[in-house]
């Protein structure tokens, strides 16, 4: 037995050494487990990204844009779906901090309640980029920049179009509003912008306003309630296409013609919404582009390199009428 041990000792030592080297090799390459551990060796940037969820066609297009852009930019992406819950996003951000990623980016579910976790990221020396939605923190040093749309402007554009359309109205114009998720920046800002714009015509009155959580199911359910409670509805303003598309079902089921009996204004301009606009079921859409991925990856590289970036970067967007939607649809990417 003693002879066997002495013969096998070198083999065992070699096996142990090989396993150590193998584990070491895996650890050096396995950034999915070790966070930023591999970035010091190969220079590759690791980004932790927490997404709101998959509540709409817009959000799905946004996620695809981010994933594809990360691959194209050579950035390792750690992606998390928060399923519409702030606590899930906070947990994901803390995980990214523990994993020592190079950059954290996220689209906040709601505006409030981020200071503690953002300070943890700052203390760890990890820059944060806000995408699509902002936060209401008074300490602007907690994040490097906010990349996204001007939601107040989108609401204003929707309201200004309606003011122009109804400028000859001699009596009350009854508007119902499908709001986005309660507390979310786009819901707060689109409501504000729309209200400011329609104040120009006292005939335009929002008679009911309720959240549909940015979903088709929510839009349909709330629109059904609106129709039962209000016999005269002239206009629907939906904070996104998906809620508007859900509302179409409720309007049709109530025996009304969408786009004619009820003027429908939405925000986003995803393909399904644009098709409804081209078909005359919607009347006007203010665009909100989800294709933020390439800009986000460019910003990640800049902040990782210590370059200064603007505190606010606005995406370029437009508006669509029925005729414009018909022209744009064949080349629409989302």
């Amino acid at each position: 037995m003693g002879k066997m041990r002495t013969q096998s000792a070198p083999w065992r030592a070699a096996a142990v050494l090989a396993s150590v080297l193998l584990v070491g090799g895996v650890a050096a390459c396995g950034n999915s487990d070790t966070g930023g551990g591999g970035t010091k060796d190969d220079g590759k940037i690791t980004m932790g990204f927490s997404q709101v969820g998959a509540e709409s066609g817009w959000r799905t297009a946004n996620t695809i844009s981010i994933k594809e852009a990360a691959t194209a930019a050579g950035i390792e992406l750690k992606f998390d779906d928060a399923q519409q819950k702030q606590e899930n996003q906070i947990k994901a951000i803390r995980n990214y901090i523990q994993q020592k990623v190079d950059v954290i980016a996220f689209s906040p579910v709601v505006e409030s309640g981020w200071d503690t976790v953002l300070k943890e990221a700052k203390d760890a020396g990890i820059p944060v980029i806000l995408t699509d939605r902002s936060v209401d923190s008074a300490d602007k040093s907690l994040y490097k920049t906010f990349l996204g749309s001007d939601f107040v402007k989108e609401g204003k554009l929707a309201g200004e179009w309606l003011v122009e359309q109804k400028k000859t109205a001699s009596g009350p114009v009854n508007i119902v509003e499908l709001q986005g998720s309660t507390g979310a920046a786009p819901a707060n800002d689109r409501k504000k912008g729309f209200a400011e714009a329609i104040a120009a015509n006292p005939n335009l009155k929002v008679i009911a306003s309720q959240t549909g959580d940015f979903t088709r199911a929510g839009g349909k359910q709330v629109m059904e309630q609106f129709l039962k409670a209000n016999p005269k509805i002239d206009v629907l303003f939906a904070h996104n296409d998906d809620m508007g598309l859900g509302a179409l079902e409720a309007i049709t089921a109530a025996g009304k013609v969408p786009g004619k009996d009820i003027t429908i204004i939405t925000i986003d301009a995803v393909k399904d919404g644009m098709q409804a606009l081209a078909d005359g079921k919607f009347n006007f859409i203010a665009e909100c582009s989800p294709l933020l991925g390439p800009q986000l990856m460019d910003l990640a590289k800049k902040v990782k390199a210590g370059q200064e970036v603007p505190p606010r970067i606005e995406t370029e967007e437009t508006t669509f009428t029925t005729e414009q939607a018909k022209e744009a649809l064949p080349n629409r990417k989302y």
Side-chain angles (χ1 to χ4, degrees):
M1 290 294 290
K3 188 177 181 181
M4 286 181 67
R5 282 195 189 97
T6 54
Q7 286 178 336
S8 61
W11 178 86
R12 282 181 179 170
V16 169
L17 178 62
S19 65
V20 168
L21 289 172
L22 178 62
V23 171
V26 171
C29 302
N31 287 339
S32 59
D33 296 320
T34 61
T39 60
K40 293 178 179 63
D41 298 327
D42 58 17
K44 190 172 186 178
I45 294 173
T46 304
M47 173 189 284
F49 185 88
S50 177
Q51 181 62 284
V52 172
E55 75 281 2
S56 62
W58 192 99
R59 189 63 56 191
T60 301
N62 181 241
T63 291
I64 292 169
S65 174
I66 288 162
K67 288 182 175 180
E68 288 181 348
T71 300
I75 290 176
E76 181 180 349
L77 185 69
K78 295 174 180 293
F79 186 89
D80 181 80
D81 181 338
Q83 299 179 330
Q84 301 285 331
K85 294 178 181 177
Q86 184 177 30
E87 58 266 33
N88 290 347
Q89 285 199 305
I90 290 172
K91 182 180 177 183
I93 292 167
R94 285 190 170 132
N95 283 338
Y96 296 147
I97 293 168
Q98 288 178 352
Q99 293 169 10
K100 297 187 170 84
V101 300
D102 296 301
V103 180
I104 292 171
F106 74 112
S107 181
V109 174
V110 294
E111 287 188 287
S112 302
W114 300 103
D115 284 32
T116 301
V117 73
L118 291 182
K119 190 174 187 306
E120 290 169 20
K122 183 181 177 182
D123 291 345
I126 302 174
V128 173
I129 300 172
L130 305 177
T131 74
D132 171 44
R133 302 177 177 185
S134 189
V135 299
D136 64 3
S137 173
D139 185 355
K140 305 302 180 187
S141 73
L142 295 178
Y143 57 92
K144 291 293 183 182
T145 185
F146 164 44
L147 165 66
S149 304
D150 184 336
F151 300 131
V152 174
K153 181 180 175 182
E154 291 167 356
K156 279 185 176 177
L157 289 169
E160 287 166 358
W161 179 85
L162 183 61
V163 168
E164 177 61 26
Q165 294 298 305
K166 301 295 182 180
K167 63 184 178 184
T168 59
S170 56
V173 176
N174 290 343
I175 305 164
V176 293
E177 180 180 31
L178 284 168
Q179 296 179 44
S181 302
T182 303
N188 294 342
D189 292 352
R190 287 169 183 168
K191 181 178 179 64
K192 177 184 176 184
F194 185 76
E196 288 176 359
I198 65 169
N201 184 342
N203 283 326
L204 302 179
K205 298 183 185 298
V206 176
I207 60 169
S209 183
Q210 190 175 320
T211 179
D213 284 322
F214 283 128
T215 66
R216 292 196 193 194
K220 181 182 179 183
Q221 183 181 2
V222 177
M223 192 66 201
E224 286 171 348
Q225 295 170 14
F226 285 164
L227 288 161
K228 286 176 185 174
N230 306 283
K232 183 181 182 292
I233 295 174
D234 302 302
V235 179
L236 163 64
F237 170 47
H239 286 191
N240 76 340
D241 291 340
D242 279 76
M243 289 190 295
L245 291 164
L248 285 181
E249 297 179 44
I251 292 167
T252 303
K256 295 181 183 293
V257 181
K260 292 181 180 176
D261 294 334
I262 298 177
T263 298
I264 300 177
I265 304 166
T266 67
I267 295 174
D268 272 357
V270 297
K271 260 188 180 171
D272 288 353
M274 291 285 278
Q275 188 63 60
L277 182 58
D279 293 341
K281 294 176 181 178
F282 284 1
N283 302 87
F284 183 82
I285 298 178
E287 184 182 36
C288 181
S289 175
L291 307 181
L292 306 181
Q295 280 179 284
L296 175 59
M297 299 311 148
D298 183 54
L299 284 170
K301 289 181 178 180
K302 286 178 177 175
V303 299
K304 177 64 171 65
Q307 296 179 29
E308 286 295 317
V309 295
R312 175 74 170 93
I313 300 169
E314 191 176 322
T315 47
E316 292 184 13
E317 292 155 347
T318 186
T319 60
F320 295 95
T321 59
T322 292
E323 290 307 313
Q324 290 166 333
K326 287 177 182 177
E327 290 175 21
L329 258 175
N331 301 314
R332 205 71 180 153
K333 290 182 180 179
Y334 57 94

